[in-house]
Amino acid sequence: QVQLVESGGGLVQAGGSLRVSCAASGFFLRSYAMDWFRQAPGKEREFVAAISRSGGRTEYADSVKGRFTISRDDAKNTVDLQMNSLKPEDTAVYYCAADLSLSSTYVSGVYSAMDYWGKGTLVTVFS
């Protein structure tokens, strides 16, 4: 069964750090570019970060650039999002998504391009 499972969400004070992880089962992440999206209460799901199959290319939303870092470990079949200098506006459910790619450098960050989604993990940042 194909599955993406996020973990690591929680409650953190503004300025703090949190690392969320995404573990895949039933398929191998090495064939996929991987993305993180988030959805805040009452808002649409938005792109956060993406990493290519090779790991050599990453893209970030302007709102998180310089604070968040996406990484992947294909041996463990996982992808992580390290979040530093967190702000209350980062509060959201964070979703990982897999985007099947023939190119080692491809990333899209496009919601409709994703092939698989996790169910999300809640990150709450309080001031």
Side-chain angles (χ1 to χ4, degrees), residues 36-115:
W36 284 95
F37 290 76
R38 68 185 180 186
Q39 187 165 17
K43 295 188 177 181
E44 293 188 350
R45 196 169 299 188
E46 64 175 1
F47 168 74
V48 175
I51 187 166
S52 63
R53 280 178 50 191
S54 68
R57 181 182 173 189
T58 56
E59 297 288 343
Y60 297 92
D62 288 343
S63 59
V64 307
K65 204 169 290 184
R67 300 188 297 123
F68 290 12
T69 302
I70 188 171
S71 61
R72 63 189 298 154
D73 187 335
D74 288 344
K76 295 181 179 179
N77 225 26
T78 59
V79 61
D80 291 348
L81 185 69
Q82 176 67 41
M83 303 181 290
N84 299 328
S85 302
L86 282 161
K87 305 175 182 179
E89 51 264 44
D90 294 319
T91 294
V93 177
Y94 283 73
Y95 300 89
C96 71
D99 182 2
L100 184 63
S101 170
L102 297 179
S103 166
S104 63
T105 59
Y106 164 87
V107 293
S108 74
V110 176
Y111 179 95
S112 60
M114 302 299 116
D115 295 286

